[in-house]
Amino acid sequence: MLVLAAARMFDGEAMLPLRSPALQVADDGRIAGVVERSELAADQPVVDLGPVTLLPGLLDTHTHLCFDASASPVEALAEQSDDQLADWIDQRAGQALAAGITTLRDLGDRDFATLAAARRYRTEPAARPHLVCAGPPLTTATGHCHFLGGALPDPDAAPEAVRRWAERGVDLIKVMVTGGTMTPGSDGLDLQFDEPQLRELVRQAHRLGLQVTAHAHAASGIRAAVRAGVDGLEHAKFWVPAGLEPDWQVIDQIAERGIAVCPTLGALPGAPPPPPAVAARAEQALALVGQLAARGVVLVAGSDAGISPAKPHDVLPHAIVAMAGCGMGNLAALRSATSVAAEACRLPGKGRLRPGCDADLLAVDGDPVADLTALLRPRAVYRAGSLAWSAEPAVPDGALV
Ligand SMILES: [Zn+2]
Protein backbone atom coordinates (compact mmCIF):
# COMPACT_ATOMS: atom_id res chain seq x y z
CA MET A 1 0.00 0.00 0.00
CA LEU A 2 1.18 3.52 -0.90
CA VAL A 3 0.90 6.08 1.89
CA LEU A 4 1.28 9.80 1.20
CA ALA A 5 1.86 12.37 3.95
CA ALA A 6 1.28 16.10 3.52
CA ALA A 7 1.05 19.14 5.78
CA ARG A 8 -2.64 19.61 4.92
CA MET A 9 -5.36 17.82 2.96
CA PHE A 10 -8.40 19.36 1.26
CA ASP A 11 -10.91 16.55 0.65
CA GLY A 12 -12.94 18.25 -2.10
CA GLU A 13 -15.27 19.87 0.43
CA ALA A 14 -13.13 21.27 3.22
CA MET A 15 -9.69 21.16 4.78
CA LEU A 16 -9.49 18.00 6.90
CA PRO A 17 -9.09 18.64 10.63
CA LEU A 18 -6.06 16.36 10.99
CA ARG A 19 -2.76 17.45 12.57
CA SER A 20 -0.57 15.31 10.33
CA PRO A 21 -2.71 13.65 7.65
CA ALA A 22 -1.70 10.51 5.77
CA LEU A 23 -3.59 9.20 2.73
CA GLN A 24 -3.62 5.46 2.08
CA VAL A 25 -3.81 4.21 -1.51
CA ALA A 26 -4.80 0.60 -2.20
CA ASP A 27 -3.12 -1.47 -4.89
CA ASP A 28 -6.08 -0.92 -7.23
CA GLY A 29 -5.27 2.81 -7.39
CA ARG A 30 -8.17 3.82 -5.16
CA ILE A 31 -8.09 5.70 -1.89
CA ALA A 32 -8.28 3.36 1.09
CA GLY A 33 -8.47 6.00 3.82
CA VAL A 34 -7.15 9.20 5.36
CA VAL A 35 -5.76 8.91 8.88
CA GLU A 36 -3.48 10.66 11.35
CA ARG A 37 0.08 9.68 10.58
CA SER A 38 0.46 8.60 14.20
CA GLU A 39 -2.14 5.87 13.60
CA LEU A 40 0.03 4.14 10.98
CA ALA A 41 2.03 1.05 11.84
CA ALA A 42 5.55 2.00 12.89
CA ASP A 43 7.08 0.09 9.98
CA GLN A 44 4.71 1.52 7.33
CA PRO A 45 6.74 3.23 4.56
CA VAL A 46 5.47 6.76 3.93
CA VAL A 47 6.12 9.12 1.01
CA ASP A 48 6.36 12.51 2.69
CA LEU A 49 5.34 15.19 0.20
CA GLY A 50 6.51 17.92 2.57
CA PRO A 51 4.88 21.28 3.36
CA VAL A 52 2.18 20.93 0.71
CA THR A 53 -1.59 20.64 0.53
CA LEU A 54 -2.85 17.42 -1.01
CA LEU A 55 -6.19 17.71 -2.76
CA PRO A 56 -8.21 15.76 -5.34
CA GLY A 57 -6.95 16.12 -8.91
CA LEU A 58 -8.79 18.98 -10.62
CA LEU A 59 -11.61 18.54 -13.15
CA ASP A 60 -11.77 20.81 -16.18
CA THR A 61 -15.38 20.41 -17.25
CA HIS A 62 -14.98 22.27 -20.55
CA THR A 63 -11.92 21.72 -22.69
CA HIS A 64 -11.01 21.24 -26.36
CA LEU A 65 -8.11 18.88 -26.90
CA CYS A 66 -8.44 19.26 -30.70
CA PHE A 67 -7.72 23.01 -30.60
CA ASP A 68 -4.12 24.22 -30.32
CA ALA A 69 -4.55 27.39 -28.23
CA SER A 70 -3.10 29.45 -31.07
CA ALA A 71 -4.55 32.66 -32.50
CA SER A 72 -6.16 30.56 -35.30
CA PRO A 73 -7.16 27.20 -33.81
CA VAL A 74 -9.85 26.50 -36.43
CA GLU A 75 -7.43 26.96 -39.33
CA ALA A 76 -4.71 24.99 -37.52
CA LEU A 77 -7.08 22.07 -36.94
CA ALA A 78 -8.16 22.05 -40.59
CA GLU A 79 -4.55 21.36 -41.56
CA GLN A 80 -4.08 18.43 -39.16
CA SER A 81 -4.27 14.85 -40.35
CA ASP A 82 -5.97 12.39 -38.00
CA ASP A 83 -2.57 10.91 -37.02
CA GLN A 84 -1.05 14.31 -36.26
CA LEU A 85 -4.13 15.24 -34.27
CA ALA A 86 -3.84 12.09 -32.14
CA ASP A 87 -0.25 13.08 -31.22
CA TRP A 88 -1.31 16.61 -30.35
CA ILE A 89 -4.18 15.36 -28.20
CA ASP A 90 -1.63 13.30 -26.23
CA GLN A 91 0.65 16.31 -25.74
CA ARG A 92 -2.16 18.61 -24.64
CA ALA A 93 -3.58 16.00 -22.28
CA GLY A 94 -0.09 15.65 -20.79
CA GLN A 95 0.19 19.41 -20.34
CA ALA A 96 -3.10 19.44 -18.42
CA LEU A 97 -2.09 16.46 -16.28
CA ALA A 98 1.17 18.15 -15.24
CA ALA A 99 -0.91 21.05 -13.88
CA GLY A 100 -2.94 18.67 -11.72
CA ILE A 101 -5.94 18.45 -14.03
CA THR A 102 -6.59 14.73 -13.78
CA THR A 103 -10.05 14.71 -15.43
CA LEU A 104 -10.89 16.57 -18.63
CA ARG A 105 -14.38 16.83 -20.09
CA ASP A 106 -13.88 17.48 -23.78
CA LEU A 107 -16.77 19.38 -25.34
CA GLY A 108 -15.53 19.90 -28.89
CA ASP A 109 -14.14 16.79 -30.51
CA ARG A 110 -13.30 16.60 -34.23
CA ASP A 111 -15.10 13.51 -35.38
CA PHE A 112 -14.30 11.17 -32.47
CA ALA A 113 -10.53 11.73 -32.08
CA THR A 114 -10.68 12.54 -28.36
CA LEU A 115 -12.98 9.61 -27.71
CA ALA A 116 -10.36 7.37 -29.36
CA ALA A 117 -7.71 8.90 -27.06
CA ALA A 118 -9.92 8.20 -24.03
CA ARG A 119 -9.99 4.52 -25.01
CA ARG A 120 -6.18 4.44 -25.46
CA TYR A 121 -5.67 6.09 -22.08
CA ARG A 122 -7.59 3.36 -20.26
CA THR A 123 -4.60 1.07 -20.86
CA GLU A 124 -2.09 3.49 -19.32
CA PRO A 125 -4.03 5.60 -16.79
CA ALA A 126 -0.98 6.60 -14.74
CA ALA A 127 0.45 8.68 -17.56
CA ARG A 128 -2.81 10.15 -18.82
CA PRO A 129 -5.76 12.15 -17.49
CA HIS A 130 -9.24 10.63 -17.38
CA LEU A 131 -11.19 11.88 -20.40
CA VAL A 132 -14.93 12.42 -20.55
CA CYS A 133 -16.04 12.97 -24.15
CA ALA A 134 -19.04 14.55 -25.83
CA GLY A 135 -17.86 13.83 -29.37
CA PRO A 136 -18.50 16.53 -31.96
CA PRO A 137 -20.99 19.12 -30.69
CA LEU A 138 -24.38 18.90 -32.40
CA THR A 139 -24.94 22.03 -34.45
CA THR A 140 -26.66 23.24 -37.60
CA ALA A 141 -25.38 22.82 -41.18
CA THR A 142 -23.39 26.07 -41.19
CA GLY A 143 -23.66 26.70 -37.42
CA HIS A 144 -21.12 27.15 -34.64
CA CYS A 145 -18.27 24.60 -35.01
CA HIS A 146 -20.02 22.83 -37.93
CA PHE A 147 -16.54 21.77 -39.16
CA LEU A 148 -16.05 19.39 -36.21
CA GLY A 149 -18.36 16.74 -37.64
CA GLY A 150 -21.61 17.30 -35.73
CA ALA A 151 -23.44 19.45 -38.32
CA LEU A 152 -27.07 18.46 -38.86
CA PRO A 153 -28.63 19.41 -42.20
CA ASP A 154 -32.00 19.32 -40.42
CA PRO A 155 -32.20 20.36 -36.73
CA ASP A 156 -35.21 18.03 -36.35
CA ALA A 157 -32.77 15.16 -36.96
CA ALA A 158 -31.03 15.80 -33.62
CA PRO A 159 -32.58 12.79 -31.79
CA GLU A 160 -31.29 10.44 -34.53
CA ALA A 161 -27.80 12.00 -34.21
CA VAL A 162 -27.95 11.51 -30.43
CA ARG A 163 -28.67 7.83 -31.03
CA ARG A 164 -25.63 7.53 -33.32
CA TRP A 165 -23.42 9.41 -30.84
CA ALA A 166 -24.55 7.04 -28.10
CA GLU A 167 -23.66 4.09 -30.32
CA ARG A 168 -20.17 5.53 -30.73
CA GLY A 169 -19.83 5.51 -26.94
CA VAL A 170 -19.83 9.20 -26.00
CA ASP A 171 -20.22 10.11 -22.33
CA LEU A 172 -22.60 13.01 -22.87
CA ILE A 173 -24.09 15.24 -25.58
CA LYS A 174 -23.01 18.81 -26.27
CA VAL A 175 -25.36 20.96 -28.32
CA MET A 176 -24.66 24.39 -29.77
CA VAL A 177 -27.92 26.11 -28.88
CA THR A 178 -26.61 29.50 -30.03
CA GLY A 179 -23.89 30.62 -32.39
CA GLY A 180 -20.39 31.37 -31.16
CA THR A 181 -17.50 33.72 -31.66
CA MET A 182 -14.88 31.42 -33.22
CA THR A 183 -16.90 30.31 -36.26
CA PRO A 184 -16.94 32.76 -39.19
CA GLY A 185 -20.51 33.82 -39.94
CA SER A 186 -21.78 32.67 -36.54
CA ASP A 187 -23.05 34.96 -33.78
CA GLY A 188 -23.62 34.16 -30.10
CA LEU A 189 -26.92 36.02 -30.31
CA ASP A 190 -28.34 33.62 -32.94
CA LEU A 191 -30.57 30.73 -31.87
CA GLN A 192 -29.65 27.52 -33.75
CA PHE A 193 -32.29 25.16 -32.30
CA ASP A 194 -35.73 26.07 -31.01
CA GLU A 195 -37.23 24.82 -27.77
CA PRO A 196 -39.26 21.89 -29.25
CA GLN A 197 -36.20 20.66 -31.16
CA LEU A 198 -34.09 20.87 -28.01
CA ARG A 199 -36.76 19.06 -26.00
CA GLU A 200 -36.71 16.10 -28.43
CA LEU A 201 -32.89 16.07 -28.32
CA VAL A 202 -32.83 16.04 -24.52
CA ARG A 203 -35.56 13.40 -24.32
CA GLN A 204 -33.59 11.07 -26.60
CA ALA A 205 -30.32 11.66 -24.70
CA HIS A 206 -31.94 11.00 -21.33
CA ARG A 207 -33.60 7.87 -22.69
CA LEU A 208 -30.09 6.66 -23.58
CA GLY A 209 -28.68 7.65 -20.19
CA LEU A 210 -26.68 10.62 -21.46
CA GLN A 211 -26.53 14.11 -19.99
CA VAL A 212 -26.89 17.12 -22.27
CA THR A 213 -24.90 20.30 -21.87
CA ALA A 214 -25.78 23.34 -23.93
CA HIS A 215 -23.47 25.97 -25.36
CA ALA A 216 -25.53 29.15 -25.00
CA HIS A 217 -24.48 32.80 -25.01
CA ALA A 218 -27.80 34.51 -25.81
CA ALA A 219 -30.44 34.92 -23.10
CA SER A 220 -32.98 33.48 -25.56
CA GLY A 221 -30.85 30.34 -26.02
CA ILE A 222 -30.40 29.84 -22.29
CA ARG A 223 -34.14 30.16 -21.77
CA ALA A 224 -34.91 27.59 -24.49
CA ALA A 225 -32.28 25.15 -23.18
CA VAL A 226 -33.52 25.36 -19.59
CA ARG A 227 -37.15 24.84 -20.63
CA ALA A 228 -36.06 21.87 -22.77
CA GLY A 229 -34.51 20.22 -19.70
CA VAL A 230 -30.73 20.30 -20.30
CA ASP A 231 -28.40 19.19 -17.51
CA GLY A 232 -25.70 21.80 -18.01
CA LEU A 233 -25.07 25.21 -19.54
CA GLU A 234 -21.77 26.39 -21.02
CA HIS A 235 -20.88 30.11 -20.96
CA ALA A 236 -24.46 31.11 -20.01
CA LYS A 237 -23.77 34.81 -20.07
CA PHE A 238 -27.25 36.05 -21.00
CA TRP A 239 -26.17 38.06 -24.02
CA VAL A 240 -28.63 40.51 -25.51
CA PRO A 241 -27.77 42.81 -28.43
CA ALA A 242 -26.98 45.71 -26.12
CA GLY A 243 -24.76 43.70 -23.76
CA LEU A 244 -25.82 41.28 -21.07
CA GLU A 245 -29.15 40.97 -19.28
CA PRO A 246 -29.72 38.29 -16.63
CA ASP A 247 -33.21 36.75 -16.63
CA TRP A 248 -33.78 36.12 -12.92
CA GLN A 249 -36.79 33.90 -13.46
CA VAL A 250 -34.70 31.57 -15.63
CA ILE A 251 -31.77 31.80 -13.21
CA ASP A 252 -34.03 30.68 -10.38
CA GLN A 253 -35.11 27.69 -12.49
CA ILE A 254 -31.45 26.88 -13.17
CA ALA A 255 -30.81 26.91 -9.42
CA GLU A 256 -33.92 24.89 -8.53
CA ARG A 257 -33.20 22.15 -11.07
CA GLY A 258 -29.52 21.95 -10.16
CA ILE A 259 -28.45 22.67 -13.76
CA ALA A 260 -24.65 23.02 -13.68
CA VAL A 261 -23.32 26.24 -15.16
CA CYS A 262 -19.77 26.45 -16.44
CA PRO A 263 -18.88 30.12 -16.93
CA THR A 264 -15.65 29.28 -18.86
CA LEU A 265 -13.55 31.91 -17.11
CA GLY A 266 -9.78 31.76 -16.91
CA ALA A 267 -7.06 33.34 -19.02
CA LEU A 268 -3.29 33.54 -18.89
CA PRO A 269 -2.27 36.90 -17.44
CA GLY A 270 -1.03 39.22 -20.18
CA ALA A 271 -2.53 37.16 -23.03
CA PRO A 272 -4.25 38.87 -25.99
CA PRO A 273 -7.85 39.96 -25.29
CA PRO A 274 -10.86 37.82 -26.30
CA PRO A 275 -13.04 38.61 -29.37
CA PRO A 276 -14.85 41.99 -29.22
CA ALA A 277 -18.28 40.48 -28.46
CA VAL A 278 -16.78 38.77 -25.36
CA ALA A 279 -14.50 41.64 -24.32
CA ALA A 280 -17.33 44.19 -24.43
CA ARG A 281 -19.33 42.10 -21.95
CA ALA A 282 -16.42 40.84 -19.84
CA GLU A 283 -16.94 43.02 -16.77
CA GLN A 284 -20.68 42.29 -16.58
CA ALA A 285 -19.98 38.59 -17.16
CA LEU A 286 -17.68 38.45 -14.13
CA ALA A 287 -20.28 40.19 -11.96
CA LEU A 288 -22.91 37.70 -13.19
CA VAL A 289 -20.87 34.72 -11.93
CA GLY A 290 -20.96 36.15 -8.41
CA GLN A 291 -24.70 36.80 -8.73
CA LEU A 292 -25.35 33.24 -9.92
CA ALA A 293 -23.42 31.87 -6.94
CA ALA A 294 -25.40 34.08 -4.55
CA ARG A 295 -28.64 32.85 -6.14
CA GLY A 296 -27.71 29.22 -5.43
CA VAL A 297 -26.72 28.13 -8.96
CA VAL A 298 -24.35 25.12 -9.18
CA LEU A 299 -21.15 26.47 -10.76
CA VAL A 300 -18.49 24.18 -12.16
CA ALA A 301 -14.95 25.08 -13.20
CA GLY A 302 -14.13 24.77 -16.87
CA SER A 303 -11.74 26.76 -18.96
CA ASP A 304 -12.60 26.39 -22.69
CA ALA A 305 -8.91 25.44 -23.04
CA GLY A 306 -7.55 25.41 -26.57
CA ILE A 307 -9.61 28.17 -28.13
CA SER A 308 -7.03 31.00 -27.92
CA PRO A 309 -3.50 31.84 -26.70
CA ALA A 310 -5.10 32.99 -23.43
CA LYS A 311 -6.37 29.46 -22.84
CA PRO A 312 -3.67 26.79 -23.02
CA HIS A 313 -4.62 23.32 -21.85
CA ASP A 314 -3.29 23.90 -18.33
CA VAL A 315 -5.12 27.22 -17.75
CA LEU A 316 -7.78 25.83 -15.35
CA PRO A 317 -6.13 27.08 -12.11
CA HIS A 318 -6.55 30.62 -13.47
CA ALA A 319 -10.26 29.89 -14.02
CA ILE A 320 -10.61 28.78 -10.39
CA VAL A 321 -8.84 31.94 -9.17
CA ALA A 322 -11.13 34.05 -11.40
CA MET A 323 -14.29 32.33 -10.10
CA ALA A 324 -13.24 32.99 -6.51
CA GLY A 325 -12.61 36.63 -7.41
CA CYS A 326 -16.18 36.98 -8.71
CA GLY A 327 -17.48 36.62 -5.16
CA MET A 328 -17.70 32.83 -4.80
CA GLY A 329 -14.79 32.75 -2.39
CA ASN A 330 -11.87 30.33 -2.33
CA LEU A 331 -13.61 27.35 -0.77
CA ALA A 332 -16.55 27.32 -3.21
CA ALA A 333 -14.20 27.86 -6.16
CA LEU A 334 -12.10 24.87 -5.07
CA ARG A 335 -15.21 22.72 -4.72
CA SER A 336 -16.33 23.80 -8.21
CA ALA A 337 -13.20 22.16 -9.63
CA THR A 338 -13.34 19.04 -7.43
CA SER A 339 -16.38 17.61 -5.60
CA VAL A 340 -19.04 19.81 -7.24
CA ALA A 341 -17.64 19.26 -10.74
CA ALA A 342 -17.47 15.50 -10.17
CA GLU A 343 -21.07 15.39 -9.00
CA ALA A 344 -22.28 17.53 -11.91
CA CYS A 345 -20.45 15.26 -14.37
CA ARG A 346 -21.76 12.11 -12.64
CA LEU A 347 -18.28 10.92 -11.70
CA PRO A 348 -18.72 9.57 -8.16
CA GLY A 349 -15.14 8.23 -8.11
CA LYS A 350 -13.59 11.65 -8.74
CA GLY A 351 -13.13 14.95 -6.96
CA ARG A 352 -12.87 13.73 -3.35
CA LEU A 353 -10.36 12.25 -0.94
CA ARG A 354 -12.68 9.48 0.19
CA PRO A 355 -12.28 5.74 0.51
CA GLY A 356 -13.20 4.13 -2.81
CA CYS A 357 -12.47 7.22 -4.90
CA ASP A 358 -9.69 7.09 -7.49
CA ALA A 359 -6.37 8.30 -6.08
CA ASP A 360 -6.18 11.16 -8.60
CA LEU A 361 -4.27 13.68 -6.51
CA LEU A 362 -2.60 17.07 -6.69
CA ALA A 363 -0.02 18.41 -4.22
CA VAL A 364 0.44 22.17 -4.26
CA ASP A 365 2.87 24.49 -2.55
CA GLY A 366 0.88 26.38 0.11
CA ASP A 367 -2.71 26.43 1.37
CA PRO A 368 -5.17 26.99 -1.50
CA VAL A 369 -8.08 27.68 0.86
CA ALA A 370 -6.16 30.68 2.21
CA ASP A 371 -4.51 31.61 -1.08
CA LEU A 372 -5.74 30.05 -4.33
CA THR A 373 -2.57 30.97 -6.21
CA ALA A 374 -1.11 27.89 -4.51
CA LEU A 375 -2.81 26.01 -7.40
CA LEU A 376 -0.32 27.67 -9.74
CA ARG A 377 2.52 25.94 -7.87
CA PRO A 378 1.98 22.18 -8.34
CA ARG A 379 4.53 19.91 -6.68
CA ALA A 380 3.24 16.45 -7.59
CA VAL A 381 0.38 14.83 -9.48
CA TYR A 382 -0.89 11.28 -8.99
CA ARG A 383 -3.26 9.47 -11.30
CA ALA A 384 -4.94 6.27 -10.11
CA GLY A 385 -2.37 6.06 -7.32
CA SER A 386 0.73 6.36 -9.53
CA LEU A 387 3.03 9.36 -9.70
CA ALA A 388 2.19 11.07 -13.02
CA TRP A 389 4.27 14.23 -12.64
CA SER A 390 6.58 15.69 -10.02
CA ALA A 391 8.42 18.96 -9.56
CA GLU A 392 11.07 16.98 -7.71
CA PRO A 393 11.49 13.36 -6.71
CA ALA A 394 9.61 12.54 -3.51
CA VAL A 395 11.75 10.72 -0.97
CA PRO A 396 10.19 7.72 0.75
CA ASP A 397 10.88 7.80 4.51
CA GLY A 398 14.06 5.94 5.30
CA ALA A 399 14.64 4.94 1.67
CA LEU A 400 17.98 6.72 1.48
CA VAL A 401 19.24 5.83 4.94
ZN1 LIG B 1 -15.87 25.56 -25.79
Side-chain angles (χ1 to χ4, degrees):
M1 176 179 295
L2 171 71
V3 178
L4 301 171
R8 291 165 297 276
M9 292 194 191
F10 171 78
D11 74 349
E13 297 245 340
M15 206 61 95
L16 291 174
L18 298 172
R19 288 172 58 87
S20 181
L23 181 128
Q24 301 161 308
V25 181
D27 293 341
D28 64 0
R30 297 206 175 113
I31 295 169
V34 185
V35 298
E36 284 285 5
R37 200 168 165 176
S38 57
E39 294 170 24
L40 297 169
D43 60 349
Q44 170 67 54
V46 174
V47 176
D48 193 342
L49 296 165
V52 300
T53 302
L54 192 66
L55 66 154
L58 307 174
L59 291 89
D60 190 336
T61 69
H62 186 141
T63 187
H64 298 280
L65 287 168
C66 288
F67 289 140
D68 69 350
S70 71
S72 311
V74 175
E75 289 82 349
L77 178 60
E79 288 167 13
Q80 300 261 300
S81 70
D82 289 345
D83 285 347
Q84 287 169 327
L85 182 58
D87 287 344
W88 279 111
I89 287 171
D90 290 349
Q91 283 199 29
R92 294 164 194 158
Q95 184 185 357
L97 186 62
I101 307 160
T102 51
T103 297
L104 304 174
R105 189 170 74 161
D106 190 281
L107 297 184
D109 210 351
R110 182 178 81 180
D111 300 324
F112 294 90
T114 309
L115 187 63
R119 297 216 168 98
R120 288 201 306 278
Y121 294 2
R122 276 182 215 155
T123 61
E124 45 176 345
R128 307 292 187 184
H130 177 76
L131 300 186
V132 176
C133 303
L138 299 183
T139 188
T140 50
T142 56
H144 183 38
C145 287
H146 62 88
F147 45 83
L148 292 175
L152 305 173
D154 172 8
D156 287 325
E160 170 55 17
V162 169
R163 190 191 60 74
R164 282 185 281 125
W165 264 229
E167 257 175 33
R168 295 295 295 255
V170 299
D171 299 297
L172 76 158
I173 297 292
K174 160 99 173 281
V175 57
M176 301 298 202
V177 173
T178 70
T181 52
M182 71 187 300
T183 304
S186 179
D187 188 323
L189 290 166
D190 293 342
L191 203 58
Q192 300 195 156
F193 295 85
D194 62 24
E195 194 187 314
Q197 287 163 341
L198 288 170
R199 187 169 292 123
E200 289 308 310
L201 181 157
V202 170
R203 190 172 290 160
Q204 173 77 308
H206 286 176
R207 196 180 291 143
L208 295 165
L210 299 174
Q211 288 183 303
V212 176
T213 197
H215 157 107
H217 290 295
S220 58
I222 297 168
R223 207 173 291 126
V226 168
R227 287 183 182 151
V230 300
D231 306 284
L233 291 163
E234 309 301 315
H235 317 300
K237 289 173 183 167
F238 288 91
W239 286 10
V240 291
L244 185 159
E245 201 175 283
D247 179 331
W248 296 111
Q249 209 182 343
V250 173
I251 289 170
D252 285 343
Q253 285 178 345
I254 293 170
E256 276 164 29
R257 296 188 196 166
I259 296 170
V261 172
C262 174
T264 58
L265 302 184
L268 276 193
V278 177
R281 297 170 170 96
E283 212 167 299
Q284 285 174 289
L286 289 176
L288 176 62
V289 173
Q291 291 165 335
L292 293 177
R295 208 87 172 187
V297 170
V298 174
L299 290 159
V300 293
S303 66
D304 224 352
I307 63 158
S308 74
K311 291 177 174 288
H313 292 87
D314 56 0
V315 76
L316 184 75
H318 291 284
I320 302 168
V321 171
M323 288 171 86
C326 290
M328 284 177 74
N330 291 359
L331 199 58
L334 275 171
R335 289 173 183 156
S336 78
T338 53
S339 57
V340 171
E343 197 168 322
C345 296
R346 292 191 193 153
L347 297 169
K350 304 290 184 190
R352 292 174 191 273
L353 302 188
R354 287 225 179 123
C357 285
D358 295 334
D360 293 355
L361 309 165
L362 165 62
V364 297
D365 172 22
D367 176 352
V369 175
D371 174 9
L372 269 179
T373 63
L375 296 177
L376 301 170
R377 299 187 299 276
R379 303 306 301 168
V381 179
Y382 287 79
R383 172 75 178 97
S386 296
L387 187 64
W389 178 88
S390 174
E392 59 200 342
V395 181
D397 262 2
L400 300 179
V401 177

